[in-house]
């Protein structure tokens, strides 16, 4: 039994280890897998987000003032991490740096552009150049760090907590937890998490220690302020929220296990709960002993 476990672990290690040279078999597998994942994700997104709304001709809208720009930050986050996945998948295949940057890190921009076209054909939404600019900024954040530092020192991260707003408009903000993760901007917080050890070369600073600044918003039942009241007896105050907190860069944790390295890379998209300082027009300055 122990031999079988060790053999399985060894095979997993070998499989997850990035190739030193171009591995055409792996490259083909990456191309097929990414196509399948992207197709499945778009089908799922269509069912979750667009299926209940009528379709229209391709059109554009100016939604730059909606949702206090929380949706734009979400686009940046998504484009960055999908691009990061594409880059690392090609690194696993043994591709050159130029190939990884040109064809890997831009996959997020390509995927999010398709999503934007979906919006353009939906009567409820529309193609947004603001969203496209946010998509491009997420890709640029990844690529620029690879070109300048050869590493990702600043990582966009996400955290979420349920709110009292979603039950008031479940058709817009989500009726289930999975829908609220995507739709309830009141409970979302987006972070830029900076690794201190990468910026300040000191043995006294733990390699995994990060400082994160976050952005969120609350009091939103609709995208626009003028339509925020759902009835005459319930109105909300739309407020931006800024945060300062500690975080951890899981990719900086030393391990010889390629499985753990992959696990840490996946979950490095999530901001860990930690003591947090909040600054907002609603609460002024508020300290959270543990913020999610």
């Amino acid at each position: 039994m122990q031999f079988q476990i060790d053999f399985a672990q060894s095979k997993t290690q070998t499989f997850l280890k990035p190739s030193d040279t171009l591995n055409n078999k792996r490259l083909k597998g990456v191309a097929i897998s990414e196509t399948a994942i992207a197709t499945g994700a778009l089908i799922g997104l269509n069912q979750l987000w667009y299926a209940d709304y009528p379709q229209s001709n391709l059109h554009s809208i100016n939604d730059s003032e909606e949702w206090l720009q929380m949706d734009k930050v979400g686009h940046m986050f998504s484009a960055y991490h999908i691009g990061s996945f594409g880059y690392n998948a090609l690194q696993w295949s043994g591709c050159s740096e130029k190939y990884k940057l040109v064809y890997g890190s831009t996959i997020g921009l390509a995927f999010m552009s398709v999503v934007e076209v979906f919006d353009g054909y939906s009567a409820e939404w529309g193609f947004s150049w603001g969203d496209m600019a946010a998509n491009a900024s997420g890709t640029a954040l990844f690529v620029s760090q690879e070109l300048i530092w050869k590493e990702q020192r600043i990582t966009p991260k996400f955290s979420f907590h349920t709110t009292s707003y979603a039950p008031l408009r479940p058709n817009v903000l989500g009726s289930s937890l999975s829908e609220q993760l995507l739709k309830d901007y009141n409970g979302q917080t987006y972070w830029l998490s900076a690794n201190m050890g990468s910026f300040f070369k000191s043995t006294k600073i733990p390699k995994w220690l990060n400082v994160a600044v976050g952005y969120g918003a609350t009091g939103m039942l609709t995208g626009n302020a003028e339509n925020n009241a759902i009835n005459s007896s319930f109105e909300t105050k739309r407020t931006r929220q800024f945060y300062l907190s500690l975080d951890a860069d899981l990719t900086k944790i030393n391990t010889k296990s390629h499985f753990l390295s992959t696990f840490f890379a996946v979950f490095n998209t999530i901001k860990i709960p930690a003591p947090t300082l909040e600054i907002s027009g609603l609460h002024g300055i508020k300290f959270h002993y543990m913020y999610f």
Side-chain angles (χ1 to χ4, degrees):
M1 178 65 70
Q2 183 62 44
F3 172 77
Q4 291 178 335
I5 294 175
D6 290 341
F7 180 72
Q9 290 177 339
S10 177
K11 288 187 66 176
T12 301
Q13 282 280 84
T14 301
F15 176 77
L16 292 176
K17 182 180 179 181
S19 178
D20 295 330
T21 57
L22 180 60
N23 186 316
N24 287 312
K25 185 177 180 179
R26 286 189 175 188
L27 182 59
K28 182 178 180 180
V30 167
I32 295 173
S33 298
E34 288 183 346
T35 301
I37 292 171
T39 301
L42 290 171
I43 292 173
L45 184 62
N46 181 68
Q47 293 301 311
L48 183 64
W49 197 282
Y50 302 103
D52 296 332
Y53 298 97
Q55 295 293 293
S56 69
N57 294 327
L58 181 65
H59 64 287
S60 64
I61 59 171
N62 181 6
D63 61 350
S64 59
E65 299 299 322
E66 292 188 1
W67 300 110
L68 294 178
Q69 294 79 49
M70 284 295 294
D71 57 327
K72 302 296 179 285
V73 184
H75 275 264
M76 183 274 292
F77 170 89
S78 299
Y80 174 96
H81 282 293
I82 297 173
S84 175
F85 167 79
Y87 178 95
N88 286 305
L90 291 183
Q91 180 171 315
W92 174 76
S93 302
C95 292
S96 67
E97 183 67 16
K98 180 179 179 180
Y99 198 94
K100 289 184 290 185
L101 287 174
V102 173
Y103 298 103
S105 60
T106 58
I107 192 175
L109 179 60
F111 178 83
M112 297 303 293
S113 296
V114 175
V115 173
E116 204 55 44
V117 172
F118 277 21
D119 279 353
Y121 280 105
S122 173
E124 184 73 11
W125 294 281
F127 185 94
S128 167
W129 288 108
D131 287 353
M132 287 300 297
N135 297 336
S137 68
T139 300
L141 178 61
F142 184 91
V143 172
S144 61
Q145 292 189 82
E146 286 299 323
L147 292 175
I148 296 171
W149 296 316
K150 307 300 182 184
E151 65 175 344
Q152 296 298 302
R153 297 185 179 185
I154 302 173
T155 306
K157 294 195 176 187
F158 175 81
S159 64
F160 177 80
H161 58 270
T162 56
T163 74
S164 58
Y165 297 103
L168 298 173
R169 295 202 72 195
N171 60 316
V172 174
L173 303 179
S175 57
S176 64
L177 180 59
S178 61
E179 289 185 349
Q180 291 169 22
L181 278 167
L182 286 174
K183 297 182 177 183
D184 187 4
Y185 296 117
N186 300 282
Q188 298 175 359
T189 306
Y190 290 97
W191 306 81
L192 287 178
S193 185
N195 182 252
M196 294 295 97
S198 295
F199 284 104
F200 306 102
K201 304 299 182 180
S202 172
T203 56
K204 296 181 180 180
I205 300 177
K207 292 182 178 180
W208 51 263
L209 179 64
N210 279 27
V211 172
V213 292
Y215 175 65
T218 190
M220 300 178 295
L221 294 173
T222 65
N224 296 307
E226 59 267 24
N227 299 324
N228 211 43
I230 58 173
N231 57 55
S232 58
S233 61
F234 192 96
E235 294 189 12
T236 58
K237 181 179 179 181
R238 296 157 60 90
T239 308
R240 301 179 191 275
Q241 300 161 310
F242 301 92
Y243 302 93
L244 179 65
S245 183
L246 297 176
D247 190 30
D249 186 341
L250 301 181
T251 66
K252 300 295 184 182
I253 298 176
N254 290 328
T255 176
K256 295 181 179 179
S257 169
H258 294 294
F259 172 79
L260 286 179
S261 295
T262 304
F263 178 86
F264 290 151
V266 170
F267 283 93
N268 204 47
T269 59
I270 301 172
K271 164 72 170 63
I272 65 168
T276 300
L277 186 68
E278 173 190 343
I279 303 174
S280 71
L282 184 63
H283 299 124
I285 299 177
K286 180 179 179 180
F287 181 74
H288 300 267
Y289 289 100
M290 196 63 63
Y291 181 83
F292 293 84

